[in-house]
Structures are given as C-alpha cells and as structure tokens.
Amino acid sequence: MPEGDPPLSLRDLDAIGVDRLKNAGPKRVSALAEMEIRTVLDLLQHYPRRYLDRTRQARMAELEADDEVFVVGRVERSASRRTRRGRTLVEVVVTDDTGRLKLVFFNQPWQEQSLRAGRTVVVHGRPTRYQGALQMTNPVVDLVGDRTGRIIPVYPQSEKAGVRTWQIADHVANALDRCEARGIADPVPGEVLRRFDFVGRHAALNGIHRPATLRESSEARRRLMFDELLRVQLEMVRRKRWLERNTAGLSHATGGEMVDRFLSRLPFPLTGAQRRVIDEIAADLAEPHPMHRLMQGDVGAGKTVVALCALLTAVQGRFQGALMAPTEVLAEQHHHTMVSLLGDLSVADESRLDGERPLRVELLTGSRGAADRRRAVAGLASGEVDVVVGTHALISEGLEYRALGVVVIDEQHRFGVEQRAVLRDRGPGSVMPDLLVMTATPIPRTAAMTVYGDLDVSVLDELPAGRTPVATSWARGPLEEGRVWAAVRAAVSEGRQAYVVCPVIDESEVLGVRSVTETHEELAGEGGELAGLRVGLLHGRVSPGEKEATMGLFRSGALDVLVSTTVIEVGVDVPNATVMVVVDAGRFGIAQLHQLRGRVGRSHLASHCHLVGEAATEEAEARLEAVVASNDGFELAEADLELRGEGTLMGERQKGRNDLRLASLRRDKEWVAIAREVAVEMVDADPDLRRNPALAGEIELMLGDREAEFLLKS
Ligand code: ADP
Ligand code: MG
C-alpha cells in the first residue's frame, strides 16, 4: 500500500472480500458467506457475543461439585462409544497445569471430531461427582484456539457453516492487523467524541475484538453502539428537515372560534394530556411548513377529540379535513363518533343570509352506494364537504379536494409511507396539507424516535378520569371457560353487552382453530352457553351493508353479544359493553390483545376481559401473562419488545441492512435520546452533511437506498 493513503472508510472495508485474508480458502469463504460474512466490513461487524476473562477462570485442581465455572484446558484425548440404549457417548479428557477433568457428551457425536487432542477449549458447566471423580455432562464448549490474551472474545459461531469462534478471531485479527498501516477513518466529529469521552473508531474496533481488559471492550462497545444510533438518527432528522425545507405548507389560523365552540360543548373536561397535545398540534398547524406528527395514545385516551380539533382548525380557515382509517368498520365508527361529538356546529358562509351553514361531514368508503358516493365526491371537489372520513377510498384515483388542509391517519401501521405521501399530494396546488398520524399501538418513546424518527411525536399519556381499569383474567381450561360464559350471561342480565372475539373465519383456514361462525353457532344455538341471548355475528366476509347494520344493532343495544373476528379490534366504541372474551387468545399478539381489551372499560362501568384457551408456546404464555398483569399500553409495548426482539419492530419500516447490531432500543434508551440530540445539532448546522461526506457516505452504505427511495416518492 502506498504511503499516505487516507484511512480506510467503512465503504473501503466493504469493498475488500474476505477471500483476501490469510487462511481464507474457497471453503472457508463460502462457510463465512453462509454466515452473511462476505467482506472485511461484515467481518469487523461480526462482534463477539461475550468475553472470557481468564483471570476468572477456575483451575481444575480446585473444582468443587455443583459450582458453575469455566475452565480452560487442552484436550488430552477424546473417544466415542455407544451406550447400551443406543445413544452416542463422547468422552473427552481435558487438562490444565493443575489437573484433569472429564467431559461427557450425550448424543453429540460431532464433539469427538471437534474436540481433537491438542485443541484448547473453554468449558462452561457444573461439575458433578461420578464414581469418585468430578466430571461435566454436556457442558458448553468454545474452541478459542491458542489465545494468550487475558480476555478472549467468543464469537457467534455456526455449527452448520462449520466456522469456529477461534477461526473467526483469527480472521478478525488478521483483518485488523492489515488496517494498521492506513488506519480506520473516523467521520464522527472530534467534538462529539470528546463530549462523550468516546474512543476513536479504529481503537473501538480493536477494543471490541481484542481488548486487553473488559473495560476496554465495554468502552469500545459504547462507541460503536453510538455510531449505529447516530447513523439512524442522522438519517431520520435529515429526512425530516428535508421535508420541512422542501415542501410548502399551510399556515393555519389557530385558536379560532370553531374549535373553541367544539371544546366548550364537549360533555366532559379534557384531560391534561389532551390539552397539551392539542396545543402541540396547534403550534405545528400555525407554522408555514407542513406538520408531520405522530400522536401515540393508549386505547381510550381520547385521540378522536384531539384529531377533531386539528380537522376543525382546517375547516375554520376554509380548508377541508380528511380522516383515513384502516378498515370500513373503523371509518364508520369514527364517522359516527364525530357526527355525535360535533353536534350542530356551523361554518361561516357569506353566501347565506345568516352568514353560516351547518358543518358537513361525509363518509366515504369503497362500499358506499353510488348515489352517496357521488354526493360526497362532488362535495369534496366543490368544497361543500368540510370533513371526510373514510378508508383508502380517500386516496383513490380521481378524487379531488377543493382545499385539503389537514389529514389525519388513524392506525398508521396499517398504511405504508407511500399512502401517506399520496394523501399529502392532495393538497391545494403544490401545497402539502398538515399530517397527523395516530396510533393506539404505543411503542416505547425511544423506539418511536427510531422507527418513526421522521415524525414529531406527541403522547397522550393520561386516561380520562373515572375509568375503571379493565380486570383481566385468563381461563386456561374448560372449567374456567364455563365461568367466563356465566360472567357474560350475568353482565347481560344487568343490561350490559359483551364481545366475543375469535381468530379466524372458517375451520378450513387453520385446522383445529375454532372459527367465528362455528363459535357463534355453538354459543347461541340450542343448548349453547349463550342460548336465549341476542347474539350477532360479524366478520370480514359479511357484506358491508350487513356489517354496518349489525354494528348499528349492537350500538343501539338491540344485540347483547357480538361474536366477531378482529374487525372490531380498533376504534369501536360502545360504552355499554363491559365484557370482552377473546377465544384462542394465545394466537394474538400483545398489542392486539390490548387493543381488544380497550373495547371495554370505556365508561365508569366496571369491565372484564377474559382470555380463553391454552397457550401453545412459552412465548404465548408470556404474552398472555403480560396482558393479565398490566393495563398500561406503554408497559406492554416494552414487554412486547422484550419478547419479540426489536428486529420485528425495525422490520416494519426498515428494509435492507439492519444497522442495529450492538445497540438495543430497550437497553440503550438514553443513548437513543443522546444520538437524537447530536443528530439534530449536526443536521441543523449542516443540513445535507455536505461538510462531512464521509459520514453521509457511511449512512448511505449502512442504511441502504431507503433515503433515495423516500425522496423520489415525496
Ligand atoms: P381512543 O384514544 O382509543 O381513540 P377515543 O377517542 O375513541 O379513544 O375516546 C374513547 C372514549 O372516551 C370516547 O367515548 C370519548 O368520547 C371519550 N372521551 C374522550 N376524551 C374524554 C375526556 N377527556 N373525558 C371523558 N371521556 C372522554
Ligand atoms: Mg379511537
């Protein structure tokens, strides 16, 4: 390498194949490829899973029965034989300077080959006494090679690919040695490094792979974890600023009379959180650039009122408002709620003698009759319709708005970024309407910063006063299930209503799962648990008209029980319903169960949620237990993150390479927030990172083409 070459960037490292490393023949190269390690960058980002601190290893002479320890030794001999019951038994003897230890493996025939005489191994386990001597049965063994250092990295290895942790360590060491001459570039500004006392990137990569002390490895981890978070945040903040700069928005007049009148006529006082979020939104609406805000609020927190304030702010300034919901049932429900909350509000209209006309709210879904639809469509184009509520019919081709000012999208996770963009394009001229996304699936704040990092976030973290928390219990067996149906009958006899939710429609869909129609028959039919009650049925395959009719009956109290699929998951609001039964509850996710439970407990009446059915897996059991234990959506979101891991969360929005290898959205919460702050500072000082092309290039490399994709679509 010529002298004076610049330090290696991540892109440079990504351009060097692992085949260039020592001892990396074709077989090894393809084995590494199987582990997704193709380039030196991949290799350097294949971080140790843990470290062994050899000062803490036990000496074989001093082992005690039943103490969990690790020992390091050399294999003296290994042999396998069959037991009388036909199992393979591998016996290995390892030694250190102080003594010997026998290892016994059942049904792991490969250990004989793997633990060949002369190899250095790290053995974790609990010695037991057998025929007078100590031995370990099925211990965890890492082949670390002939390491001399005090700290030994243990890499995620692949039994299948046949690459051992010590082989990875050797390749990594070789790669790092060869980076010495040029060094590894560090594009993060020195000022930031000093502020948080971070080691440089080259040192960090060395420190994470071959630390001299555990402290060095944790400092290295802290630095590299920050880099991951910073890259994501820079991308998000840049995206957000780009929108703010490059889009023209409306500057709405806030604090107008119409919103005031609406609020003063509500039958309840706003919660503190509602007031705060309404103000946050008003401040955005008054700004000339388009709002791009996410409102998170637990089930029942009162998001609709807040959304209405935003929509009415548009209307009082002669613009239109649109609310898009993910399903017809939900759109209808919103329409219904809005009409009743809005009452007989009127809109200024100089063409009228009395100077005003009634506010006009329309519903637009795919299944509306042709005449209704025509009326709504014409009214939107002429401006006579002030607020429209609907499904994705709102973004159908050819639908025109005279002056769309504010868009609210409910349950964003069901729509794509693209759909948001389409609706935004419906603004007057090249002006973008303000956008409020609301979600009832709270995700932890720091996760929100990452997953929805291009949106501002408001949190409705307070339930209206006087709500009694929903009591939740889990009926695992038939005996307990009997009590659930008795509870439903009791509630109905007191004039209350109940939901029964089932996971799928026909039995044919998933064998052995109770279908909604079948459950309906079983419960309501002759001799059924709910025989004699008025039981309605609702699922995705009934016709829209019938669906609306059934919901109407339930709402009016003409049905006692509604058996349905999750079409009622979100938004349905019948305060008199106080019992929720979820059949086969183990098949639902935490967020879904919490949503379903949110359908009850919507008044001062005490409500109960019954989860019915056995949990098929340990994870399902943990989910159900979490839902029983907590009523707090944010807490449950944390539990969910814990159970499912963050991959799923990121997966919803983040395609391509997942850059979060070290950072954990749940463990490293403060660092997410810090990275966000630093990113805001950096982007505000240098919006396109023009002064730091190295960092910009690295973001592109690590986060893929998402940005390009996004910019083209906007
Ligand atoms: P969600 O946040 O789940 O969408 P909604 O907006 O549907 O909640 O509100 C749930 C119920 O609470 C509705 O019946 C609504 O009218 C009522 N509500 C909203 N805000 C308040 C409040 N501040 N006090 C009492 N009830 C409220
Ligand atoms: Mg709602």
Side-chain angles (χ1 to χ4, degrees):
M1 263 171 222
E3 190 89 42
D5 274 342
L8 294 152
S9 67
L10 296 191
R11 200 179 277 284
D12 294 332
L13 296 173
D14 197 43
I16 309 170
V18 284
D19 57 324
R20 305 262 299 275
L21 297 170
K22 204 168 66 186
N23 295 331
K27 210 170 138 214
R28 176 65 49 77
V29 168
S30 70
L32 287 170
E34 216 174 303
M35 301 170 72
E36 304 290 326
I37 299 173
R38 294 185 173 81
T39 71
V40 168
L41 179 64
D42 297 335
L43 182 68
L44 293 184
Q45 289 184 338
H46 188 74
Y47 299 118
R49 148 167 80 83
R50 60 196 162 85
Y51 301 92
L52 296 172
D53 180 350
R54 295 197 57 176
T55 59
R56 296 176 50 189
Q57 81 192 48
R59 287 135 54 93
M60 291 184 193
E62 294 160 6
L63 294 183
E64 305 255 4
D66 296 329
D67 277 351
E68 175 136 15
V69 287
F70 84 85
V71 291
V72 180
R74 195 172 285 277
V75 177
E76 205 174 69
R77 59 192 141 87
S78 68
S80 77
R81 61 185 169 87
R82 292 213 158 252
T83 64
R84 257 173 296 158
R85 292 219 219 107
R87 297 202 289 174
T88 335
L89 182 84
V90 177
E91 288 175 315
V92 179
V93 176
V94 289
T95 60
D96 63 8
D97 326 332
T98 69
R100 285 198 155 66
L101 178 67
K102 186 156 145 198
L103 315 179
V104 180
F105 300 90
F106 286 102
N107 284 336
Q108 301 178 31
W110 64 87
Q111 296 288 15
E112 187 191 2
Q113 266 305 304
S114 162
L115 302 180
R116 275 196 299 249
R119 289 198 162 165
T120 304
V121 295
V122 177
V123 184
H124 292 257
R126 207 187 286 276
T128 49
R129 200 162 288 283
Y130 182 73
Q131 294 179 347
L134 286 177
Q135 68 172 41
M136 281 191 196
T137 307
N138 292 338
V140 173
V141 179
D142 288 307
L143 284 169
V144 293
D146 215 352
R147 299 278 125 195
T148 43
R150 188 188 130 187
I151 307 292
I152 301 174
V154 178
Y155 288 92
Q157 55 184 10
S158 164
E159 204 64 60
K160 193 162 135 267
V163 186
R164 303 295 176 175
T165 173
W166 61 272
Q167 291 166 324
I168 294 168
D170 279 352
H171 289 309
V172 169
N174 179 229
L176 285 173
D177 287 345
R178 289 165 67 174
C179 292
E180 281 306 320
R182 281 174 66 177
I184 294 171
D186 194 340
V188 174
E191 185 277 315
V192 174
L193 302 187
R194 280 189 295 278
R195 196 185 326 163
F196 300 104
D197 207 11
F198 283 137
V199 296
R201 184 177 283 169
H202 192 163
L205 283 167
N206 266 300
I208 202 157
H209 288 293
R210 39 184 188 186
T213 60
L214 284 180
R215 191 186 153 78
E216 187 185 345
S217 72
S218 70
E219 282 301 305
R221 181 193 166 274
R222 192 171 69 96
R223 165 65 213 271
L224 296 170
M225 174 261 320
F226 178 78
D227 285 4
E228 293 177 354
L229 294 171
L230 182 65
R231 282 191 287 263
V232 173
Q233 291 305 332
L234 281 170
E235 163 83 0
M236 292 293 182
V237 174
R238 205 150 56 126
R239 211 188 254 204
K240 186 162 177 294
R241 293 287 189 262
W242 185 93
L243 266 182
E244 288 166 5
R245 267 198 328 275
N246 293 292
T247 54
L250 301 161
S251 183
H252 294 274
T254 55
E257 199 225 354
M258 200 164 172
V259 175
D260 284 349
R261 241 188 312 150
F262 164 66
L263 291 176
S264 69
R265 292 198 313 196
L266 286 176
F268 42 72
L270 292 177
T271 64
Q274 281 172 319
R275 252 179 283 125
R276 189 187 71 236
V277 175
I278 287 172
D279 288 346
E280 284 167 2
I281 291 171
D284 280 1
L285 292 176
E287 290 284 321
H289 61 72
M291 170 168 76
H292 206 182
R293 183 172 286 275
L294 173 75
M295 167 165 62
Q296 290 199 55
D298 207 342
V299 182
K303 291 184 289 294
T304 318
V305 170
V306 177
L308 269 172
C309 284
L311 296 169
L312 290 178
T313 304
V315 174
Q316 77 190 356
R318 304 296 181 76
F319 289 100
Q320 294 162 300
L323 187 151
M324 182 158 81
T327 63
E328 296 209 352
V329 170
L330 185 52
E332 281 151 19
Q333 177 69 42
H334 270 306
H335 180 248
H336 179 87
T337 319
M338 285 170 60
V339 168
S340 70
L341 280 172
L342 289 168
D344 56 355
L345 273 187
S346 49
V347 188
D349 181 355
E350 287 101 38
S351 70
R352 302 268 190 121
L353 209 55
D354 56 1
E356 47 179 40
R357 64 169 173 82
L359 176 81
R360 190 165 152 201
V361 182
E362 285 283 346
L363 175 66
L364 190 66
T365 62
S367 62
R368 297 287 280 174
D372 282 346
R373 187 183 152 77
R374 254 197 314 277
R375 201 162 42 93
V377 169
L380 281 173
S382 70
E384 283 160 62
V385 169
D386 303 297
V387 175
V388 66
V389 183
T391 51
H392 47 264
L394 294 185
I395 53 171
S396 59
E397 208 60 50
L399 188 66
E400 267 179 60
Y401 296 84
R402 195 188 63 85
L404 186 56
V406 171
V407 171
V408 177
I409 299 185
D410 194 6
E411 311 299 341
Q412 185 269 348
H413 62 285
R414 308 203 173 195
F415 295 112
V417 179
E418 299 95 72
Q419 275 160 311
R420 260 159 46 191
V422 173
L423 202 49
R424 282 205 316 254
D425 285 345
R426 300 301 167 93
S430 61
V431 173
M432 217 176 242
D434 289 277
L435 176 71
L436 176 67
V437 175
M438 47 187 202
T439 168
T441 320
I443 58 174
R445 212 183 172 92
T446 46
M449 264 180 210
T450 308
V451 183
Y452 298 104
D454 53 340
L455 305 180
D456 292 301
V457 179
S458 289
V459 185
L460 269 189
D461 49 5
E462 187 183 342
L463 291 182
R467 295 273 169 83
T468 34
V470 181
T472 305
S473 46
W474 177 13
R476 295 169 185 240
L479 205 71
E480 288 139 306
E481 191 178 330
R483 279 183 224 132
V484 171
W485 304 121
V488 171
R489 289 192 303 267
V492 170
S493 73
E494 284 165 24
R496 307 288 159 238
Q497 292 163 283
Y499 299 98
V500 177
V501 175
C502 313
V504 286
I505 301 178
D506 324 302
E507 201 173 18
S508 60
E509 280 186 41
V510 181
L511 215 65
V513 173
R514 280 189 279 183
S515 73
V516 63
T517 31
E518 215 189 30
T519 305
H520 177 258
E521 276 168 31
E522 252 173 49
L523 290 172
E526 211 173 314
E529 293 274 10
L530 305 181
L533 307 188
R534 298 166 299 171
V535 184
L537 174 64
L538 197 65
H539 54 70
R541 293 201 196 148
V542 306
S543 78
E546 202 181 321
K547 208 187 293 175
E548 206 170 336
T550 306
M551 266 323 292
L553 288 175
F554 189 68
R555 223 177 263 133
S556 72
L559 288 174
D560 302 314
V561 179
L562 190 61
V563 177
S564 85
T565 53
T566 49
V567 289
I568 62 136
E569 181 185 339
V570 279
V572 173
D573 188 13
V574 180
N576 190 49
T578 59
V579 181
M580 165 62 67
V581 181
V582 185
V583 175
D584 276 320
R587 303 181 63 88
F588 294 92
I590 287 187
Q592 235 180 342
L593 290 170
H594 183 59
Q595 282 299 309
L596 287 170
R597 174 168 59 185
R599 297 311 105 211
V600 296
R602 299 177 80 81
S603 68
H604 63 283
L605 300 166
S607 295
H608 208 115
C609 173
H610 301 273
L611 309 175
V612 174
E614 281 165 45
T617 64
E618 246 169 66
E619 202 200 304
E621 175 155 353
R623 283 200 302 267
L624 295 181
E625 275 165 2
V627 174
V628 170
S630 173
N631 254 310
D632 178 327
F634 284 88
E635 217 173 280
L636 287 172
E638 297 267 4
D640 204 16
L641 197 58
E642 200 82 36
L643 281 171
R644 287 192 306 161
E646 33 219 72
T648 358
L649 185 64
M650 297 303 289
E652 284 172 17
R653 291 192 78 192
Q654 194 152 315
K655 305 186 197 89
R657 208 196 279 246
N658 180 357
D659 192 26
L660 298 188
R661 290 161 185 256
L662 291 171
S664 150
L665 296 182
R666 75 195 117 97
R667 208 180 38 229
D668 302 311
K669 277 183 211 155
E670 339 74 285
W671 286 105
V672 176
I674 291 170
R676 177 80 174 182
E677 269 166 45
V678 172
V680 167
E681 271 170 38
M682 288 175 69
V683 172
D684 283 350
D686 179 13
D688 293 313
L689 297 181
R690 243 172 265 236
R691 277 180 267 142
N692 196 339
L695 193 51
E698 180 173 311
I699 292 169
E700 206 188 311
L701 173 73
M702 299 305 294
L703 301 179
D705 298 327
R706 288 183 306 129
E707 168 140 51
E709 213 174 280
F710 168 78
L711 293 179
L712 286 176
K713 284 216 169 89
S714 302

